[in-house]
Amino acid sequence: MTRTEEFQELRPLLFSIAYRILGSVSEAEDAVQDTWLRYEASPTEPRSVRAFLSTAVTRVSIDVLRSARVRREAYVGPWFPEPLLADPYEDPARSAELADSVSTAALLLLERLSPLERAVFVLREVFAFGFPEVAAAVGRSEAACRQLAVRARRHMEAGRPRFEADRREREELASRFFEALREGDVIGLQDLLAADASVVGDGGGKAPQLARAVRGAQNVARLFASVFPRMARVDVTFEQHEVNGQPGAIFRDRDGKVLQALTLDVLDGRIQAIRVVINPDKLGHMGPVGDAWAVARDVKQAARPT
């Protein structure tokens, strides 16, 4: 097997590690590409290609995350990870951990960890790397990595959401939500929302977004029931799609360009949180991005009485 073939075989794993450390599709793809360049330039054949590449992508990701954290501190409004439509790495033995760790809520919890804690948690808890492998990847002793893992696990478990376990029930609830959205059914929407449900948008100052989070089932239902019919009048459509392993949807303008990605957090048979990524910089990997400002102007015009 050539180096190219070996790398391509492990690419899904490398991307999945990098995405969970970085919370960014574009940065994860860059980290994987940088890893390939390092592997291609290596004069010797590593004893374990998997270990070499996992170490390289982890170290690249840690370095990128350290600089990214500074930018995120100055981010305009709430920061959400870039939407991931499909995780390329599959492992039936770790399917639950993989699905949970890629959710928007889990990635936001990972933001609370230091770069080293985050990398150790991802390698150990998500991908089940042994501590010798983890230690080699992050350049710390096994004892230090065990301490990092304990701290990271404690932080994650303290804030970890407990999503609805039954995927079919989640999808059914999401279908009912989106059907009520199409119909502008306030009562139908409200019935599906938890009493303290919230909707939060990430526009990064580059797209129209809510001035603040909207909270309460009634307020959230009224917001969606009033806004979407106006969006439909200017030919905005949406398609249900799993986003970050959770029920969601992709919204598009009349030309089919991406406007936003929406995810639903479901717990105890109700929608607990709705998160919307509108920042165009975070949508480009899903295809051509539409002009959200222009659509917002059209929606405002459509709302005026004729």
Side-chain angles (χ1 to χ4, degrees):
M1 185 180 291
T2 67
R3 283 196 172 190
T4 300
E5 291 170 336
E6 290 174 324
F7 181 80
Q8 290 301 329
E9 185 175 274
L10 289 166
R11 178 186 281 273
L13 171 63
L14 303 179
F15 173 86
S16 294
I17 291 172
Y19 178 76
R20 285 166 174 79
I21 294 175
L22 294 167
S24 166
V25 173
S26 55
E27 290 175 349
E29 289 174 342
D30 288 344
V32 171
Q33 181 60 25
D34 195 349
T35 298
W36 160 247
L37 295 175
R38 295 186 182 199
Y39 182 42
E40 186 181 38
S42 176
T44 59
E45 189 66 29
R47 181 178 301 175
S48 167
V49 175
R50 180 180 183 272
F52 177 91
L53 294 176
S54 297
T55 294
V57 81
T58 297
R59 293 188 177 185
V60 170
S61 298
I62 289 173
D63 289 342
V64 173
L65 181 60
R66 284 175 173 148
S67 61
R69 285 166 75 92
V70 176
R71 296 193 304 273
R72 290 173 192 178
E73 288 174 0
Y75 195 80
V76 178
W79 180 93
F80 293 156
E82 289 184 11
L84 182 68
L85 299 187
D87 187 355
Y89 180 71
E90 296 181 0
D91 180 355
R94 312 272 317 160
S95 58
E97 292 87 348
L98 290 169
D100 180 61
S101 64
V102 84
S103 72
T104 301
L107 290 170
L108 289 174
L109 281 177
L110 283 170
E111 284 291 305
R112 302 179 185 180
L113 307 182
S114 71
L116 277 178
E117 287 174 340
R118 185 165 181 166
V120 168
F121 182 87
V122 167
L123 294 176
R124 177 63 183 171
E125 301 297 325
V126 180
F127 294 97
F129 279 40
F131 276 111
E133 294 176 286
V134 175
V138 302
R140 295 292 188 274
S141 68
E142 287 186 43
C145 288
R146 290 180 187 277
Q147 292 179 339
L148 288 166
V150 169
R151 288 203 299 269
R153 194 182 306 118
R154 186 184 302 125
H155 285 305
M156 293 297 289
E157 290 178 352
R160 185 183 297 278
R162 300 298 178 186
F163 297 121
E164 200 73 55
D166 192 314
R167 178 181 294 272
R168 183 176 298 178
E169 289 183 14
R170 286 188 329 197
E171 292 175 350
E172 180 182 343
L173 183 65
S175 294
R176 289 166 57 197
F177 173 85
F178 289 118
E179 183 60 31
L181 180 61
R182 287 189 179 94
E183 297 176 357
D185 180 0
V186 176
I187 301 302
L189 288 168
Q190 189 172 331
D191 286 345
L192 302 172
L193 297 165
D196 59 349
S198 64
V199 56
V200 186
D202 171 356
K206 299 183 178 183
Q209 66 185 77
L210 298 169
R212 62 181 63 85
V214 175
R215 302 187 185 281
Q218 188 176 64
N219 294 330
V220 172
R222 285 178 175 173
L223 172 67
F224 277 97
S226 64
V227 170
F228 184 72
R230 300 176 193 171
M231 296 174 71
R233 287 179 213 163
V234 297
D235 300 323
V236 171
T237 59
F238 66 84
E239 59 202 41
Q240 279 187 245
H241 201 295
E242 188 173 89
V243 181
N244 287 88
Q246 301 297 314
I250 308 301
F251 286 70
R252 300 181 184 275
D253 66 14
R254 59 167 56 96
D255 297 318
K257 295 181 178 179
V258 178
L259 292 172
Q260 60 189 41
L262 177 151
T263 56
L264 305 175
D265 286 354
V266 177
L267 178 67
D268 296 331
R270 291 288 185 273
I271 295 167
Q272 304 287 328
I274 302 171
R275 297 186 177 92
V276 188
V277 176
I278 319 163
N279 186 339
D281 293 347
K282 297 184 177 184
L283 303 173
H285 60 283
M286 296 189 289
V289 179
D291 185 344
W293 292 108
V295 171
R297 289 193 296 269
D298 291 345
V299 169
K300 187 176 181 179
Q301 181 68 33
R304 294 174 181 171
T306 57

